[in-house]
């Protein structure tokens, strides 16, 4: 539901078709919080390991969330073996809470101005090769 942005009611239908059980959309939606609690320690460890990585790729992607389908951003920090997500905005307050301020290695990004903000500390930067190729 979260990874593939599948609506809650479709997830309930999927569970029904695979298992014969018919969970309500409310039950399925409630599982998001329970799953988040279950993986909280693992997420904290992944975040810490990302801060120590030599290279971290960062990106932000628009996403519609919540009952009113408000536009937010899914911020992502990743290495070849670790990925950490954070839901927020593209504003500096969100970026201060994001893992970027704690990363000690090289940050690969798409040139969005907040990645280079002095408020987040000085570090080495590499522009994303996919964005550079697209520019060419």
């Amino acid at each position: 539901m979260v990874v593939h942005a599948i609506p809650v009611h479709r997830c309930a239908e999927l569970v029904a078709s695979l298992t014969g059980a018919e969970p309500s959309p409310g039950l399925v939606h409630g599982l998001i919080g329970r799953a988040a609690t279950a993986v909280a320690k693992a997420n904290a460890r992944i975040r810490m390991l990302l801060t120590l990585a030599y290279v971290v790729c960062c990106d932000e992607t628009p996403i519609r969330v919540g009952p009113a389908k408000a536009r937010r951003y899914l911020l992502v920090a990743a290495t070849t073996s670790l990925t950490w997500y954070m839901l927020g905005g593209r504003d500096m307050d969100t970026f201060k809470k994001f893992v970027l301020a704690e990363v000690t290695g090289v940050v690969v990004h798409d040139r969005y101005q907040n990645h280079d903000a002095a408020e987040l500390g000085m570090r080495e930067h590499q522009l994303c090769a996919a964005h550079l190729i697209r520019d060419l």
Side-chain angles (χ1 to χ4, degrees):
M1 189 165 65
V2 174
V3 173
H4 298 289
I6 300 172
V8 171
H9 72 279
R10 292 288 296 137
C11 288
E13 291 172 0
L14 179 63
V15 170
S17 68
L18 292 174
T19 67
E22 295 185 16
S24 70
L27 174 73
V28 174
H29 189 270
L31 293 175
I32 297 171
R34 291 171 60 189
T37 299
V39 299
K41 288 182 181 178
N43 282 337
R45 187 163 293 146
I46 289 168
R47 180 187 171 105
M48 185 270 305
L49 290 170
L50 284 169
T51 67
L52 302 173
Y54 182 68
V55 176
V56 178
C57 298
C58 294
D59 195 25
E60 66 288 330
T61 303
I63 185 171
R64 300 272 182 194
V65 297
K69 300 291 183 200
R71 184 176 180 162
R72 307 271 310 271
Y73 286 86
L74 184 66
L75 284 79
V76 180
T79 67
T80 56
S81 59
L82 299 168
T83 304
W84 188 77
Y85 300 98
M86 181 182 146
L87 187 61
R90 288 183 88 193
D91 55 278
M92 188 52 68
D93 287 338
T94 297
F95 270 70
K96 287 178 181 177
K97 296 174 190 169
F98 188 50
V99 69
L100 191 59
E102 301 165 35
V103 170
T104 57
V106 177
V107 176
V108 179
H109 59 86
D110 61 359
R111 293 188 307 258
Y112 180 60
Q113 64 188 11
N114 286 358
H115 289 113
D116 288 325
E119 295 175 55
L120 300 176
M122 301 304 293
R123 68 190 47 79
E124 296 292 324
H125 294 269
Q126 166 63 51
L127 297 180
C128 171
H131 284 83
L132 292 174
I133 290 169
R134 192 171 34 195
D135 290 348
L136 292 173

